[in-house]
Amino acid sequence: MTLGTLYFVGRGRGVRDRKMQEFYIITIFITTIAAAMYFAMATGFGVTEVMVGDEALTIYWARYADWLFTTPLLLLDLSLLAGANRNTIATLIGLDVFMIGTGLIAAFASTPGTRIAWWAISTGALLALLYVLVGTLSENARSQSPEVASLFGRLRNLVIVLWFLYPVVWILGTEGTFGILPLYWETAAFMVLDLSAKVGFGVVLLRSRSVLERVTTPT
Ligand code: RET
């Protein structure tokens, strides 16, 4: 995450175009927040134990703190690319914050049944969010130039696939209490997902200056 941040800072230094600067600022914050949260987790901050029945689960709550800020920023990047209006952006970010908030409740709930119920509520919000992404936001993107619309399509598909895997890893991992995926593999899976969804996303977004220059704002 730190290397990603440095890479984006290095690339963004010479950028003078205001619109393009926005994408750099947002994306740099995404990886900076994640790098700080991973450092926190590596040094023992942001982890706690939750009792579910007579079993103690290790919960990395710093993940949710990271996601609470980075996922709205990722959606902001996508929305600016599509040229979405304020209402669409607010709907997307509202659904997103609801998704992470209810996911956090799921992580702290003390019975397997309530954990799964909150997981299902959070997953419902994710599905609604992806629906807006595929519907309204994709429609907005069609009014951009073909190059911008195609970059939007690529990033949107990346988001759909990667974001969908988060609740899957969660429910199969230790949080889901089914004990299918041990903590080690769950942590590794979230790390790969986080790196792809943040650094991978940022590399694809910021790779092409000529495309970002063509982005137009909504009227
Ligand atoms: C949780 C658990 C409950 C159900 C759902 C979840 C979704 C999480 C998502 C996280 C995305 C994170 C990203 C991070 C970094 O870039 C909270 C795991 C639906 C979609 C993209």
Side-chain angles (χ1 to χ4, degrees):
M1 290 295 177
T2 308
L3 289 179
T5 306
L6 294 175
Y7 173 71
F8 298 142
V9 169
R11 269 191 78 99
R13 275 184 51 187
V15 173
R16 292 285 164 270
D17 180 85
R18 284 269 192 113
K19 197 81 209 122
M20 212 187 294
Q21 283 177 345
E22 269 178 27
F23 290 106
Y24 273 92
I25 293 166
I26 297 167
T27 311
I28 288 166
F29 269 117
I30 293 170
T31 49
T32 305
I33 294 169
M37 281 303 137
Y38 268 103
F39 178 67
M41 289 189 277
T43 52
F45 178 86
V47 52
T48 187
E49 284 198 339
V50 172
M51 290 305 292
V52 179
D54 48 13
E55 202 191 343
L57 288 185
T58 305
I59 299 295
Y60 286 95
W61 60 260
R63 276 192 201 301
Y64 301 83
D66 168 333
W67 297 341
L68 190 61
F69 294 100
T70 56
T71 51
L73 290 172
L74 285 163
L75 292 173
L76 193 57
D77 262 341
L78 266 186
S79 302
L80 290 174
L81 193 62
N85 65 31
R86 269 170 185 249
N87 289 357
T88 308
I89 300 178
T91 306
L92 275 173
I93 293 183
L95 284 168
D96 182 72
V97 169
F98 183 81
M99 172 186 80
I100 303 297
T102 49
L104 181 67
I105 302 178
F108 278 90
S110 54
T111 64
T114 47
R115 297 178 73 82
I116 291 164
W118 283 110
W119 172 87
I121 293 169
S122 177
T123 303
L126 172 64
L127 294 178
L129 188 161
L130 295 181
Y131 180 78
V132 178
L133 221 60
V134 173
T136 315
L137 212 61
S138 301
E139 205 173 292
N140 292 156
R142 278 194 282 275
S143 54
Q144 297 279 1
S145 70
E147 294 85 353
V148 175
S150 130
L151 176 62
F152 170 85
R154 212 170 315 137
L155 289 168
R156 181 204 55 195
N157 294 344
L158 188 75
V159 164
I160 293 173
V161 173
L162 292 176
W163 287 37
F164 201 71
L165 291 172
Y166 281 85
V168 175
V169 171
W170 195 98
I171 200 76
L172 295 181
T174 53
E175 279 97 341
T177 67
F178 293 116
I180 298 167
L181 205 64
L183 187 61
Y184 177 85
W185 288 107
E186 180 193 333
T187 307
F190 273 138
M191 192 191 72
V192 172
L193 284 179
D194 276 348
L195 277 173
S196 317
K198 295 183 170 98
V199 182
F201 178 98
V203 168
V204 176
L205 174 69
L206 302 176
R207 197 165 44 190
S208 176
R209 290 195 177 182
S210 57
V211 176
L212 294 182
E213 268 167 359
R214 289 168 202 258
V215 175
T216 51
T217 37
T219 45

